[in-house]
Amino acid sequence: MNKRGQETREHIKKCACSLFAEKGFKQVTMKDICEAANLSRGGLYCHYESTRQIFQEIIDDMTSKQDDEFDLKIKENQSAVMILDDILDKYENEMIDSQSSLSIAIYEYFSLHDIASQNNILYEQYLLSANTWKKLIQYGIDRQEFNLVDISAVFDLIVFSYQGVRMYSKLMPVDREIPRRIIKEIRKILVRSDGDGNNI
Amino acid sequence: MNKRGQETREHIKKCACSLFAEKGFKQVTMKDICEAANLSRGGLYCHYESTRQIFQEIIDDMTSKQDDEFDLKIKENQSAVMILDDILDKYENEMIDSQSSLSIAIYEYFSLHDIASQNNILYEQYLLSANTWKKLIQYGIDRQEFNLVDISAVFDLIVFSYQGVRMYSKLMPVDREIPRRIIKEIRKILVRSDGDGNNI
Amino acid sequence: MNKRGQETREHIKKCACSLFAEKGFKQVTMKDICEAANLSRGGLYCHYESTRQIFQEIIDDMTSKQDDEFDLKIKENQSAVMILDDILDKYENEMIDSQSSLSIAIYEYFSLHDIASQNNILYEQYLLSANTWKKLIQYGIDRQEFNLVDISAVFDLIVFSYQGVRMYSKLMPVDREIPRRIIKEIRKILVRSDGDGNNI
Amino acid sequence: MNKRGQETREHIKKCACSLFAEKGFKQVTMKDICEAANLSRGGLYCHYESTRQIFQEIIDDMTSKQDDEFDLKIKENQSAVMILDDILDKYENEMIDSQSSLSIAIYEYFSLHDIASQNNILYEQYLLSANTWKKLIQYGIDRQEFNLVDISAVFDLIVFSYQGVRMYSKLMPVDREIPRRIIKEIRKILVRSDGDGNNI
DNA sequence: TATGAATGAGTCTTCATTCAT
DNA sequence: AATGAATGAAGACTCATTCAT
């Protein structure tokens, strides 16, 4: 793969990604991508042989860019609450960013394939995410910044309510207050309150 | 519409519903439905002119069957915790019943259409559900069975985590423990605990 | 065929006739006619088995209603010019009455079938019409009201320019002056002028 | 559009043109054209997306080839009668050439579309033709070769009787004498006769 | 007679995919 | 690598026609 070829592939993925975000997975055809990328039919087939392949590569790229921010910060001995607030802030923003979200496309894509398959990247991401969150929550508990919660339960509550809002924000009008309230409620569950019933 | 026609329509909807649950919305063609219903092309078109129309009618039927169970029980002066436990139990079971769930199909269907439209049935259902839950939570608070929570926040947490799990259960293997933990956590948030930190 | 059946047939023909005038022959389906006549599919088939049959019957009715007005008037010894003016007036009005005109439908219908066939009703009508016109022109010549024209030539000029306008009025905007001018010109050819070059 | 594509388009138009002449407009399907052109369904759709588009392009090609023969001859100061005889001769031949004529197809095509539309090519051709004829008649009058006729009236008589015959020749057997008589009659109207009542 | 459900054939249209250039 | 013409299969949709009621 030389430089020019690689550039074309990136260009294709960028164009395809917009289409997937806009229309979901199945609704996007090779023809659509040709047109969006300003490439001929044959030209596109030089690089990819199906929308599935393109989509998979987009997802792989996204996954590989995910980093272990927490880990780093934990190692830096930062306050658990500060780390939590950072991540919750990011979640809140993502929840309502329906534009750039591939969520519908991802749901479609995975609903088309065998969910038990070993390559179920959604499941891998879930496990990865679970691992990281659990480390953080344990860290907060250890530092006595967090309540003594059921770690798995809180994690599931966080991740699935996050995903639920993300998806619904593509299906109905979602008030900005909704993610805000959810994030606040989660924070309330985790962070130890002072005697007055407030979180610290 | 005479009896025979109505029966055929019901038969078509029943067959189509299985297909939608299995394959989502867009993946189901009129041809599929013909075959499933053992009907000719033209025969199907006598009754419905698109998969969209069939799907819409299925959804409408479902919606119109929804009832106000809570209301009744509240009027019967039942314990808020008992009512809550009933509904949470139902939610827990639904979360993992991926087979019969139209969720993916619904998500696909609504992602194809204008989410701001006045006929967004998903939004209507959200509002309806919100209303009912808020009544229940207020009822529980009034009876001093529930904590003095942020009603909207708790409702959003419930509904979106429920929907999140429901969807993911069609996309990846979801452990039975997950809905159980979530339900338990929600119960913990709502129900007043005794001095020992246990819910009543 | 009892009375009720006959009424239904007339109703069907009336509705179908409007459709043919509006949309031509091939564009009209049995389904269209059912709907226009507010009749079920099977109901229509009780009376007619094809659009062709309906159309043929409409044409037959029209033909059989054609009367020998000329003949009568000639027998009454009316002035040839008066008879001519009556008929030219009728022609002028029909030429631009594109609404009710079946011309396009007739052209389509006959272009679908063998023009040499013995049942070519268009040809029959042409011959019938020729006969009548020729009698009239001869009558006018005999009474010295008309010029000594080439009878066949004038007849052809009349009938084909009439048909030409009738058809074009369904295909492009036709100015009211056009039929007026044509009629006037034809009258000029036929009617003997006085010494000043005016028709009488 | 490269050479190969252009050749295919020409080939398609040629095949389609024969079909239209033979069967009219609506009777010709994309499938017919595929088969006639020995092309696959998709192959045809690469070039044209409807019979309408193909037909329009055929008509456009024909129109753009039309020329102003008269103008040239008038400029060459030829005798008006000679010019007239040339054109009448051409008209006479065209009137009965039902084989190659697209007339029925054209009538059908235009009867399907908005006759008031600005792109009504039939109307444009009528106006163009009117203009040329009027120039010629005026020229003949000026040279005292033609009678002092109502120019518009004579033009309408010519063009509509011509079109009337053209159309009828596809619908019924039209005797060769008919166009001959019509042409002769028109000549008689236009060309100044000598004292004996003969045209010159 | 009349209804309207049902059939099945025909056509339209869109794409994934291939291939000569 | 890239073009774009071409194929062929899949699915949508419309109707003429039949038939049980």
Side-chain angles (χ1 to χ4, degrees), chain D residues 94-143:
Chain D
E94 284 175 4
M95 274 197 250
I96 42 136
D97 178 16
S98 72
Q99 275 317 300
S100 71
S101 157
L102 282 178
S103 50
I104 287 287
I106 288 171
Y107 308 147
E108 275 183 35
Y109 179 74
F110 284 98
S111 74
L112 291 178
H113 304 108
D114 184 10
I115 67 170
S117 118
Q118 291 187 312
N119 293 322
N120 190 322
I121 205 170
L122 226 50
Y123 190 45
E124 278 172 29
Q125 288 196 306
Y126 170 81
L127 293 177
L128 197 68
S129 172
N131 196 271
T132 320
W133 269 101
K134 284 172 187 175
K135 258 192 262 176
L136 174 62
I137 300 177
Q138 189 60 56
Y139 177 69
I141 292 173
D142 290 345
R143 289 174 60 110

Side-chain angles (χ1 to χ4, degrees), chain C residues 85 88-97 161-162 165-166 169 174-189 199, chain D residues 126 150 152-157 160:
Chain C
D85 284 342
L88 289 183
D89 205 51
K90 196 177 127 209
Y91 271 38
E92 185 183 327
N93 289 322
E94 284 175 4
M95 275 198 247
I96 39 129
D97 180 14
S161 58
Y162 166 80
V165 175
R166 229 168 131 69
S169 72
V174 166
D175 193 311
R176 255 222 83 104
E177 285 304 311
I178 290 175
R180 196 167 293 158
R181 284 197 296 256
I182 287 177
I183 291 303
K184 210 172 142 196
E185 193 66 29
I186 285 169
R187 200 180 182 284
K188 213 190 289 177
I189 294 168
N199 296 104
Chain D
Y126 170 81
D150 176 339
S152 293
V154 173
F155 163 69
D156 286 332
L157 206 54
F160 289 111

Side-chain angles (χ1 to χ4, degrees), chain B residues 6-192:
Chain B
Q6 193 51 44
E7 272 166 13
T8 307
R9 288 173 78 95
E10 292 304 328
H11 175 64
I12 291 168
K13 278 188 282 186
K14 213 177 111 203
C15 297
C17 195
S18 305
L19 289 171
F20 288 132
E22 182 195 345
K23 313 203 311 188
F25 175 67
K26 288 195 292 268
Q27 223 57 359
V28 176
T29 68
M30 287 299 263
K31 189 168 169 265
D32 293 333
I33 298 173
C34 292
E35 281 159 14
N38 207 29
L39 212 62
S40 69
R41 291 307 192 79
L44 178 54
Y45 276 92
C46 281
H47 299 286
Y48 295 101
E49 59 186 25
S50 63
T51 55
R52 179 176 170 165
Q53 199 189 44
I54 301 172
F55 192 79
Q56 187 68 54
E57 208 168 296
I58 290 170
I59 299 290
D60 289 346
D61 287 355
M62 282 169 53
T63 311
S64 68
K65 280 179 198 148
Q66 281 205 343
D67 43 5
D68 304 280
E69 310 172 56
F70 292 180
D71 266 355
L72 199 66
K73 290 174 178 169
I74 289 176
K75 272 170 200 146
E76 287 172 355
N77 218 27
Q78 288 192 13
S79 138
V81 173
M82 275 177 62
I83 300 173
L84 177 71
D85 283 341
D86 275 358
I87 191 75
L88 288 182
D89 204 51
K90 196 177 128 210
Y91 271 37
E92 185 183 327
N93 288 323
E94 284 175 4
M95 275 198 249
I96 41 134
D97 178 15
S98 71
Q99 276 316 302
S100 72
S101 159
L102 283 178
S103 50
I104 286 288
I106 288 171
Y107 308 145
E108 275 184 35
Y109 179 74
F110 285 97
S111 74
L112 291 177
H113 303 108
D114 184 8
I115 66 170
S117 120
Q118 291 187 311
N119 293 321
N120 190 321
I121 205 169
L122 224 51
Y123 191 45
E124 278 171 32
Q125 287 197 304
Y126 170 81
L127 293 177
L128 197 67
S129 171
N131 196 271
T132 319
W133 269 101
K134 284 173 186 175
K135 255 192 265 177
L136 174 63
I137 299 176
Q138 188 60 55
Y139 177 69
I141 292 174
D142 290 344
R143 289 173 60 111
Q144 300 194 319
E145 294 181 62
F146 290 176
N147 294 314
L148 200 61
V149 297
D150 175 341
I151 297 181
S152 293
V154 173
F155 164 70
D156 286 331
L157 205 55
I158 293 169
V159 77
F160 289 110
S161 57
Y162 166 78
Q163 295 292 357
V165 175
R166 229 169 131 68
M167 178 182 59
Y168 265 70
S169 72
K170 297 213 81 165
L171 306 177
M172 69 178 210
V174 167
D175 192 312
R176 254 222 82 105
E177 285 303 311
I178 290 176
R180 195 167 294 158
R181 284 197 295 257
I182 287 177
I183 290 301
K184 209 172 144 198
E185 191 66 30
I186 285 168
R187 198 178 183 286
K188 212 190 291 176
I189 294 168
L190 272 176
V191 178
R192 282 185 73 176

